[in-house]
Structure formats: C-alpha cells, structure tokens
Amino acid sequence: MNNFDVVVIGAGPAGGQMARLMTKSGYKVLLVEQHEDFSKNDFSSAVTPLSTLDRFDLPEEIIGSYWNNFVVVTTNIRRNWDSPENLGAVLDFAKLKEFLAKDVKSCGGEVWMGYRYVRHFQDNEKTLVTLKQRSGGKLETVSTKVLVDATGFARSVMYNKQSDKPKLLSATGIEYVIEVDEAAYNQYLNSIFFFLGYKWMPKGYSWIFPMEKGRLKVGAGRFNLEHKNIKHTESLQYYIQLLIDKHVMPKEYKIIDIHGSTIKYCQGLKDIYYKDNAIAVGDAVSTVNFLGGEGIRHGMYSAELAATHINRYLENQISDFRDYQNQMRRYFLPKWEISAKAGVNKYLIESDKKIDESFTYLGLLTTEEIIAVLFEYKLGKLKKGFVKYLMSKIQIPNFFKEVGDLRLLFKKLGV
Ligand SMILES: Cc1cc2nc3c(=O)[nH]c(=O)nc-3n(C[C@H](O)[C@H](O)[C@H](O)COP(=O)(O)OP(=O)(O)OC[C@H]3O[C@@H](n4cnc5c(N)ncnc54)[C@H](O)[C@@H]3O)c2cc1C
C-alpha cells in the first residue's frame, strides 16, 4: 500500500495549491483528481485581479489576457472604469490547474488523474482512503496522516450523504468559448464586460471576457432561487446567445468549448472545516464570494492558511485544526456575509429600474474605488459614491425618496 503524509482530494485551485505547498515543505503528498485531464473540467471564467499572480507565484503561461477596463452594461445604461495600468487577468483555468499539478510533480509529489474519492476510515493509527479509477473501476487504497477535502461545491470528504450538508445557496453558470473575427474581438480587447438587469440576465449576470487573440469567453450565471418579481426566465444558453447576437455581433463565429458548473455557499459559514485529521479548503468551505462568484484566489488563500496548520499538526505541535477554522471564519465571515446579502438583494429582489440606478450612482466612483469595492470588498467605499450621487441629484424632486432607498440598502448591508 502507498503511504502518504497528506492526501488531497480535488485538483482545483485550492487542492492544487495545497498539494504544491505541502510538497514544497518536504512532505510525501498525493493529489487526486476525478477527471482524466484538466480540459474536462475547465468551468471557470477565471477573472482575477493582478495581485493574484504575484501573491501565488503564477506564471505568464496560464494567462489568457490582461484587462485594464471594467465595463458594466444594464438594461438601460453602460458604465466603465479604466486605468492606464493592467488591473487584472483572465486566466486559462485548465492551464492554471495543470501548472499547479505539474509543480507538485516536479517537487516530488504524486498526482493521480482519473481517480475518484470513495470513502475513508480509521485503521489503528492510519487513515485509509479508498479511491476508484474512473476508467475500469479499479479500487486503490492509500494511507495518509492528513486528508484534505478540496472537492469544491461537492464537499465529498466532509459529508457522507447529501442530507448531512448544511443549507446551501447555489448558483449555476455556463460559458461558451468562441472564436470570432478580429473586429468583433477588438471590442473586448483589455476589457471585462458584465451584463446585469432583466434584459440581459435576470436573477444573475452574464459576461464577455477576452482570452488569447480571437477568442472570447461568453457566459451567464444565475441564482437557483425564486425572484421577488420575475416568475419566468429563459435557459442560460438563451442569454449567452443573446450576448453573441446582440452584443458581440460577429460576422461569423465558432464554438470552441462549452462548460459550466455550480457554486454553493453556506450562509453563516457553517461548513465543516475539520473532522479528526481531515481538513477542508476552497469552495468546500464556501470561500467563493457569493456576490461576484469569484473564488480562485480565495480558495488558494485558504490552502495557504491550512498548510501552516497541517505543518504544525504533522510536527505534533497541535492535535486538531480548530485554530484553522477560527482563523478562516474571522477572515471570511464579515465580508462574505455582506456580499451574500448584497447578492441576494441585487439578483433576487431589486427591480430592473433599481439595477440601472445603482450603476448610475456607482458610475461616480473612481476606478480605484470600484476595484476596492468589487475585489477588496471595501463596501464602505459605496458611501463615498452615495455622497457624490446625492450631490449630483440635489435638485431632483424625488431626492428624498432616493436618499431613503439608499440608506435602507446600506442599513441592510451593514455598511
Ligand atoms: C461558471 C463559473 C464561473 C466562475 N468564474 C470565476 C471567475 O471569473 N473568477 C474566479 O476567481 N472564480 C470564478 N468562479 C469560482 C471559482 O472557479 C471557484 O471558486 C474555484 O474553482 C474553487 O476552487 P476549488 O479548488 O475550491 O474547487 P474546484 O475548482 O471546484 O475544484 C474541485 C475539484 O475537485 C474534484 N472533485 C470533486 N469531487 C471529487 C471526488 N469525489 N474525487 C476526486 N476529485 C473530485 C473536481 O473534479 C474539481 O476538479 C466561477 C465559478 C463558476 C461555476
């Protein structure tokens, strides 16, 4: 039987980063992924701020494109915030995961692709993990000192049954990668476009992001919950086609890939963070932000935190992962709860008019301020925009109603 110090289930950004860090610390590591290769599960649009690249030491080869312009289109308005410097990147999600797995291997770790986690159990001092090869169904058992749940929204290691899971908010997204003519592509060069409102994507948002020359990611995602006003929506494919036909308007285009997945967030962060010598990272403990659906760098950050605790555990300095849970909750809970509330409000409650209005007023924020709101979750900056908005509206008769509405919104969000 193969013996490891750490077995990581799931080779997404969180699992890959976890395995990479533990291998670099000199431990015997196995990274397990159910898919045979990373192109099979290339579901994420993978937009990230520029800081992610340095923070996690990621190479140029995984970057699809850079962006320095952030555009929002609602039913009736369009706003953009730009900068002379690059603000972020659109990653090639499959290449990111491939890079992390390669780094694990080059530092002496093992990566088993096409193996699915089945169960684990204690046998004296050892934890035995059963894995099933997807092609052929062969069962393998390995032993480990620490087991990591990095299975994303599935949370497969921490929960035996679906019914054991806490209540989860969920959203589903689908994305096409299309190849278009130069003129169509150039409309999105160095820009990321988000579409909100009832016309483009009720109950969520849709997007167009550029990748390498000629390729665009065009996607749509929405909450899997009832909307206060909207009773009927079309399929996600319908809204993607709408973007292609009415916004990209290519002379001709070719679909290169269609992918999609789900994110699941536990309100109040009541996920199981650890159980005996098993510990969970990434989306398995709701590190995805439920307002924007951004989760790559947060999952990688959780892996970094967990790695420091696993190191101490393996050196017998601690006997459980309680401090990891406390640290994670302290870091994520305040910002994540406000974001989830804002998400529910924006995507499931607000009228189309309100969505237009909120971006009219966000349009008064500077690029730095909007980036701080959206990527650093500094929702306090909204107040500054609110004051600018009031100053610009001071002559308008429904001023007092709007003040009341916006105050109510800030109160709801706790900012
Ligand atoms: C449509 C969509 C668009 C998104 N866009 C962005 C974006 O633009 N920017 C951003 O930062 N985030 C985005 N996200 C969110 C982001 O992709 C996730 O938060 C991130 O991938 C979470 O990383 P993870 O490693 O925790 O989980 P995952 O990436 O979900 O990885 C989990 C891995 O575990 C494997 N696995 C699951 N069960 C088993 C099992 N039993 N055995 C073996 N392997 C298993 C899965 O195959 C998968 O590879 C998006 C998400 C979706 C759905």
Side-chain angles (χ1 to χ4, degrees), residues 137-328:
K138 190 174 136 210
L139 290 176
E140 292 268 1
T141 302
V142 297
S143 98
T144 188
K145 293 177 188 159
V146 173
L147 178 61
V148 180
D149 187 344
T151 59
F153 75 88
R155 296 163 167 83
S156 303
V157 177
M158 286 304 180
Y159 299 93
N160 294 330
K161 293 194 291 261
Q162 193 64 24
S163 56
D164 293 343
K165 289 181 187 166
K167 200 165 164 249
L168 300 167
L169 284 179
S170 83
T172 302
I174 295 182
E175 186 177 76
Y176 292 8
V177 179
I178 58 171
E179 213 157 67
V180 295
D181 53 278
E182 201 178 339
Y185 177 78
N186 284 342
Q187 304 172 96
Y188 305 98
L189 199 61
N190 304 325
S191 304
I192 51 172
F193 276 67
F194 290 88
F195 299 80
L196 287 100
Y198 293 12
K199 170 179 167 186
W200 296 109
M201 189 60 250
K203 294 171 69 167
Y205 66 85
S206 52
W207 61 88
I208 302 174
F209 304 152
M211 286 292 280
E212 65 270 25
K213 208 159 177 38
R215 288 198 177 183
L216 297 174
K217 287 177 167 178
V218 185
R222 68 175 163 217
F223 268 80
N224 300 316
L225 282 171
E226 293 279 304
H227 192 286
K228 190 177 163 224
N229 308 321
I230 303 166
K231 294 298 160 225
H232 173 76
T233 53
E234 306 293 342
S235 68
L236 287 173
Q237 286 84 346
Y238 167 91
Y239 295 102
I240 294 173
Q241 201 59 52
L242 183 71
L243 286 183
I244 297 175
D245 295 342
K246 303 281 181 218
H247 208 273
V248 183
M249 295 192 282
K251 280 199 208 96
E252 53 189 34
Y253 71 95
K254 192 162 104 195
I255 297 176
I256 304 296
D257 190 29
I258 298 181
H259 46 242
S261 189
T262 298
I263 53 176
K264 292 190 179 178
Y265 174 79
C266 179
Q267 273 182 306
L269 298 185
K270 295 185 188 116
D271 294 296
I272 297 176
Y273 285 80
Y274 71 96
K275 213 193 266 175
D276 306 322
N277 59 343
I279 181 166
V281 294
D283 279 7
V285 280
S286 301
T287 52
V288 65
N289 181 277
F290 218 66
L291 176 58
E294 199 215 336
I296 292 173
R297 63 192 166 117
H298 308 307
M300 293 178 80
Y301 172 71
S302 74
E304 235 177 48
L305 270 188
T308 62
H309 291 271
I310 296 174
N311 266 306
R312 294 176 65 210
Y313 181 89
L314 290 171
E315 283 164 18
N316 293 320
Q317 291 171 8
I318 52 170
S319 56
D320 64 35
F321 297 115
R322 187 174 317 177
D323 287 349
Y324 165 68
Q325 170 173 306
N326 292 340
Q327 227 176 328
M328 284 284 285

Side-chain angles (χ1 to χ4, degrees), residues 333-402:
L333 192 63
K335 290 174 276 186
W336 260 225
E337 283 300 276
I338 289 179
S339 296
K341 267 195 220 171
V344 168
N345 190 56
K346 174 106 354 250
Y347 306 127
L348 299 175
I349 295 173
E350 280 189 2
S351 67
D352 205 33
K353 185 164 166 269
K354 203 94 220 132
I355 295 173
D356 280 346
E357 274 171 12
S358 61
F359 282 95
T360 308
Y361 119 76
L362 286 174
L364 299 170
L365 294 180
T366 64
T367 302
E368 264 179 7
E369 286 164 348
I370 195 83
I371 294 296
V373 169
L374 295 174
F375 292 104
E376 293 159 35
Y377 313 104
K378 291 186 177 160
L379 298 189
K381 297 265 178 212
L382 290 173
K383 276 191 180 159
K384 197 169 165 196
F386 174 48
V387 172
K388 284 188 194 172
Y389 175 75
L390 293 186
M391 299 309 282
S392 71
K393 281 268 184 178
I394 213 97
Q395 303 297 333
I396 294 179
N398 65 356
F399 166 76
F400 290 106
K401 182 183 173 304
E402 296 192 26

Side-chain angles (χ1 to χ4, degrees), residues 36 114-116 131-140:
E36 255 117 34
Y115 280 85
R116 213 177 141 72
L131 304 169
K132 187 175 186 178
Q133 198 171 22
R134 278 184 94 178
S135 62
K138 190 174 136 210
L139 290 176
E140 292 268 1

